């Protein structure tokens, strides 16, 4: 297909990632108490786990956007940008976690805040890079239901795998 068709598909994938990520974040946020209860050894651990899950759940949309944007950039043979972005985001996560957990004594909640901020940093950076490429092809970045549905159908198995993996990693 043409570059503009590819970028239109990429826009659909990014909107799908954002919508699916938001839905998953809400599910994790709302089910944090029962999830934490299953894995907690005491009420102190339960409270900390609930705080962590509820805060960290808001990293899910960013993580899915990062994966979709990375796929877009791989499709245009830009492998360096996602690498640099993820190195920067991981360094940011380390610095923020150390500062929030030890500097401000926020415990697990601080670690979750660091995770959320670092994930959104990466997502926004990659979105900016992809948006520039989309604009260069004169493709609208607004959501189009047909492109989103096409992305969902094309990537259904990958969506299920990624959602399941992310849920397991978040709970683990």
């Amino acid at each position: 297909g043409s570059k503009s068709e590819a970028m239109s598909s990429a826009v659909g994938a990014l909107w799908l990632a954002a919508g699916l990520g938001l839905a998953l974040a809400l599910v994790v946020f709302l089910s944090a108490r029962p999830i934490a209860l299953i894995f907690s050894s005491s009420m102190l651990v339960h409270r900390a786990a609930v705080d962590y899950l509820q805060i960290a759940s808001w990293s899910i949309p960013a993580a899915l956007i990062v994966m979709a944007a990375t796929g877009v950039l791989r499709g245009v043979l830009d492998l360096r940008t996602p690498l640099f972005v993820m190195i920067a985001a991981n360094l940011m996560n380390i610095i923020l976690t150390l500062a929030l957990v030890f500097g401000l004594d926020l415990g697990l909640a601080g670690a979750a805040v660091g995770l959320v901020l670092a994930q959104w940093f990466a997502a926004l950076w990659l979105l900016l890079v992809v948006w520039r490429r989309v604009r260069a092809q004169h493709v609208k970045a607004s959501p189009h239901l047909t492109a989103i549905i096409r992305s969902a159908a094309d990537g259904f198995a990958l969506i299920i795998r990624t959602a399941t993996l992310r849920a397991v990693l978040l709970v683990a």
Side-chain angles (χ1 to χ4, degrees):
S2 72
K3 286 184 180 182
S4 62
E5 287 175 15
M7 283 298 147
S8 179
S9 178
V11 168
L14 289 166
W15 280 107
L16 177 63
L20 188 59
L22 182 58
L24 288 170
L26 286 170
V27 168
V28 172
F29 182 86
L30 295 172
S31 61
R33 291 189 191 287
I35 291 171
L37 193 58
I38 293 168
F39 297 102
S40 298
S41 58
S42 69
M43 285 313 292
L44 180 64
V45 171
H46 180 261
R47 281 191 295 277
V50 169
D51 289 346
Y52 181 86
L53 285 171
Q54 287 184 329
I55 295 167
S57 68
W58 300 112
S59 71
I60 296 172
L64 293 182
I65 290 168
V66 164
M67 287 185 234
T70 298
V72 171
L73 293 173
R74 281 185 185 160
V76 296
L77 303 178
D78 181 356
L79 304 176
R80 289 185 181 151
T81 300
L83 175 64
F84 291 137
V85 170
M86 292 317 299
I87 289 170
N90 280 296
L91 289 172
M92 180 182 186
N93 189 16
I94 291 167
I95 292 166
L96 285 172
T97 298
L98 290 171
L100 295 170
V101 171
F102 298 110
L104 296 178
D105 198 31
L106 295 179
L108 280 176
V113 169
L115 169 69
V116 171
L117 293 174
Q119 283 284 4
W120 278 105
F121 168 77
L124 293 173
W125 186 351
L126 288 172
L127 279 174
L128 178 63
V129 171
V130 171
W131 181 73
R132 286 181 179 157
R133 289 182 180 268
V134 166
R135 262 187 82 187
Q137 295 300 319
H138 307 290
V139 173
K140 293 183 180 179
S142 57
H144 298 283
L145 189 58
T146 54
I148 294 169
I149 291 170
R150 191 171 357 121
S151 291
D154 291 344
F156 182 73
L158 183 60
I159 290 168
I160 297 302
R161 182 199 67 86
T162 302
T164 305
L165 178 62
R166 184 66 183 164
V168 168
L169 291 175
L170 189 63
V171 172

